[in-house]
Amino acid sequence: MKLWGGRFTKRADQIMEKFNTSLPVDQRLYSQDITGSIAHVKMLVKCELLSEAEGILLVDGLRSILEDIESGVLQVEGNYEDIHSFIEMNLTERIGETGKKLHTARSRNDQVAVDMRLYAKQKANEVMAALQQLIESLNNKAVQNNVIMPGYTHLQRAQVVTFSHHLGAYVQMFSRDKRRIGNAIDIMDENPLGCGALAGTTHNIDRQLTTELLGFSKPVDNFLDGVSDRDYLLELMSSFSITMMHLSRLSEELILWSSQEFRFIEMDDAYSTGSSIMPQKKNPDAAELIRGKTGRVYGSLLSLLTTLKGLPLTYNKDMQEDKEQFFDALDTVMDCLEIMSKMIDTLHVKEENMKAAIKAGFLNATEVADYLVSKGTPFRDAHEIVGKIIIYCEQYKKSIEDLSLDELAKFSSKISDDIYEYIDYENILNKGNKKLIKQIAE
């Protein structure tokens, strides 16, 4: 069933019809398509392109279709080219010839453009809500576990930090992700309805009315751009990709921390799996899947970028490929955000193992150098002195704080017994701007 055909004398090949249909993909736009059509009808009535009676008949028919789809009475299926033809043809079957007037002063080009913007806006707001939930989960876990742990560079123990401060880094990342998506919503918040196929319409329509009815900030300024723009999908998918990158980094740390080599945390059983052959195994599969699905979202972004590359204005059938890539990226990032929030909520922090890792890693070495600087030693000299102390500690299998004053004094006459208080791990976090590390993530 098609919305066109008058110009054709031959049926399309069955393979072509299957190849051409987008209904299995764009059926999820049914609500936005009906919402856009209702706004369009109300505008046509105001502009006297439809009578009030026709408008009421059309709106009631569209609402009945929406109700039947959502209740399951009407299944979105059949030999239809897309969701637009499915709804319009079902409408005409229900209300008769008046249904054929629905498409007055409109093209499927501006129709699908408004559907996708409405859908993208709604779902982008849902992603922002999911990000906020993850931010709250991280903050709550940070408040409950403001304990010291090793901080790393090059995956080597570097300096003492707190678990709270470490999670706070991800709070900042996901907060930026949320702002990026909000910015994308602001940019895309324009109404393409009224652009027609590419050059508007000869009918005197009211684009401002549909803009207000649909909740956009303004109509698009250029008709050609309005029907061919998919930048907003690229921007959202780019933001999703950055979010997934942040999720993958957090996933990798959860995987490392839950390993027997680290034993900093324990993942809840609900987000772990076992082995079919090794009974002792508890695998962090949820985190590994998030790490793996990051590439999937990257692939969707790259796919759409490639699809749009070099396309002349305005609409081309290539652009039908935007939906599947966007939908898949959207579904993936939403699933990953939900799973990550639940993993964070339920993970157990092993405080004593974190403290033990600190003691074994010479994480107060930088503070020994700072101590020597405070006694008047040039920093480069202090750095060399501490390097020799570390060699000594490794040779005798001791930590710096376990060395006697006589042992420390061999390396510098400026070292006195006040060094022990200076390099105590808890005290370290009370000096200078390190005090920020002890604060709970805001």
Side-chain angles (χ1 to χ4, degrees), residues 59-115:
V59 169
D60 287 348
L62 287 165
R63 286 175 175 161
S64 72
I65 290 173
L66 178 60
E67 182 179 335
D68 287 351
I69 292 174
E70 293 187 337
S71 67
V73 172
L74 178 61
Q75 298 296 315
V76 183
E77 59 188 14
N79 186 26
Y80 297 92
E81 193 172 356
D82 49 35
I83 189 61
H84 322 298
S85 56
F86 173 86
I87 289 172
E88 185 172 331
M89 290 178 178
N90 273 275
L91 178 66
T92 300
E93 288 177 11
R94 292 189 181 206
I95 69 172
E97 290 296 301
T98 303
K100 296 179 180 180
K101 295 187 176 185
L102 174 65
H103 212 51
T104 304
R106 186 175 69 170
S107 164
R108 274 191 301 179
N109 291 357
D110 60 346
Q111 186 178 359
V112 70
V114 79
D115 289 0

Side-chain angles (χ1 to χ4, degrees), residues 167-177 179 246 442:
L167 291 189
Y170 288 101
V171 168
Q172 296 304 311
M173 295 180 208
F174 294 122
S175 296
R176 290 194 298 273
D177 293 337
R179 294 200 300 273
H246 289 150
E442 294 296 334

Side-chain angles (χ1 to χ4, degrees), residues 333-349:
V333 76
M334 283 293 288
D335 287 346
C336 290
L337 285 169
E338 181 179 2
I339 290 291
M340 182 58 80
S341 292
K342 291 179 177 179
M343 279 198 296
I344 295 297
D345 286 339
T346 56
L347 69 82
H348 171 66
V349 176

Side-chain angles (χ1 to χ4, degrees), residues 18 37 88 98 102 136 148 173 190 223 245 256 280 297 302 333 351 372 415-416 430:
K18 181 180 178 182
S37 291
E88 185 172 331
T98 303
L102 174 65
E136 291 173 7
I148 60 174
M173 295 180 208
E190 299 181 355
F223 296 150
M245 179 268 291
L256 288 172
Q280 82 281 9
V297 176
L302 185 59
V333 76
E351 179 179 353
L372 290 170
I415 297 177
S416 58
N430 289 319

Side-chain angles (χ1 to χ4, degrees), residues 47-247:
C47 295
E48 300 183 349
L49 293 170
L50 290 175
S51 68
E52 288 192 14
E54 288 172 328
I56 291 171
L57 187 61
L58 285 163
V59 169
D60 287 348
L62 287 165
R63 286 175 175 161
S64 72
I65 290 173
L66 178 60
E67 182 179 335
D68 287 351
I69 292 174
E70 293 187 337
S71 67
V73 172
L74 178 61
Q75 298 296 315
V76 183
E77 59 188 14
N79 186 26
Y80 297 92
E81 193 172 356
D82 49 35
I83 189 61
H84 322 298
S85 56
F86 173 86
I87 289 172
E88 185 172 331
M89 290 178 178
N90 273 275
L91 178 66
T92 300
E93 288 177 11
R94 292 189 181 206
I95 69 172
E97 290 296 301
T98 303
K100 296 179 180 180
K101 295 187 176 185
L102 174 65
H103 212 51
T104 304
R106 186 175 69 170
S107 164
R108 274 191 301 179
N109 291 357
D110 60 346
Q111 186 178 359
V112 70
V114 79
D115 289 0
M116 280 301 291
R117 284 189 188 246
L118 287 172
Y119 183 86
K121 273 182 61 179
Q122 175 188 335
K123 295 302 178 180
N125 277 296
E126 291 177 13
V127 174
M128 289 178 68
L131 278 164
Q132 182 58 38
Q133 179 58 56
L134 177 54
I135 289 167
E136 291 173 7
S137 294
L138 289 164
N139 271 327
N140 290 338
K141 188 61 64 173
V143 168
Q144 297 161 11
N145 298 277
N146 194 24
V147 298
I148 60 174
M149 69 173 290
Y152 293 81
T153 63
H154 307 279
L155 208 55
Q156 303 294 315
R157 296 171 193 165
Q159 290 182 283
V160 64
V161 295
T162 64
F163 186 70
S164 170
H165 199 67
H166 199 118
L167 291 189
Y170 288 101
V171 168
Q172 296 304 311
M173 295 180 208
F174 294 122
S175 296
R176 290 194 298 273
D177 293 337
K178 186 180 172 185
R179 294 200 300 273
R180 263 186 285 271
I181 293 173
N183 183 63
I185 293 172
D186 289 342
I187 292 173
M188 66 171 282
D189 195 21
E190 299 181 355
N191 177 24
L193 198 56
C195 293
L198 76 159
T201 175
T202 55
H203 295 291
N204 289 319
I205 61 172
D206 187 343
R207 295 173 63 213
Q208 188 58 43
L209 176 59
T210 56
T211 296
E212 293 170 2
L213 291 172
L214 295 173
F216 289 107
S217 62
K218 65 184 287 291
V220 299
D221 293 324
N222 184 283
F223 296 150
L224 283 77
D225 181 54
V227 297
S228 63
D229 171 33
R230 297 297 184 271
D231 297 2
Y232 62 95
L233 296 181
L234 291 173
E235 186 170 13
L236 285 173
M237 291 167 72
S238 177
S239 296
F240 296 167
S241 295
I242 295 172
T243 296
M244 289 300 300
M245 179 268 291
H246 289 150
L247 285 169

Side-chain angles (χ1 to χ4, degrees), residues 279-296:
Q280 82 281 9
K281 293 293 293 298
K282 182 176 180 181
N283 302 324
D285 278 16
E288 291 175 352
L289 280 168
I290 292 172
R291 187 178 60 184
K293 287 178 183 292
T294 298
R296 181 173 181 155

Side-chain angles (χ1 to χ4, degrees), residues 339-406:
I339 290 291
M340 182 58 80
S341 292
K342 291 179 177 179
M343 279 198 296
I344 295 297
D345 286 339
T346 56
L347 69 82
H348 171 66
V349 176
K350 297 182 176 181
E351 179 179 353
E352 293 307 314
N353 291 345
M354 289 184 177
K355 288 181 177 179
I358 289 171
K359 188 171 181 63
F362 306 115
L363 270 67
N364 51 6
T366 303
E367 280 65 42
V368 176
D370 289 344
Y371 170 84
L372 290 170
V373 168
S374 72
K375 298 289 186 175
T377 304
F379 178 77
R380 285 299 162 207
D381 293 340
H383 189 285
E384 183 175 356
I385 290 168
V386 177
K388 292 177 180 179
I389 292 174
I390 297 301
I391 293 173
Y392 180 87
C393 288
E394 289 177 335
Q395 182 179 356
Y396 291 97
K397 295 181 172 51
K398 293 183 177 183
S399 62
I400 297 174
E401 62 272 20
D402 291 336
L403 297 179
S404 68
L405 186 57
D406 288 341

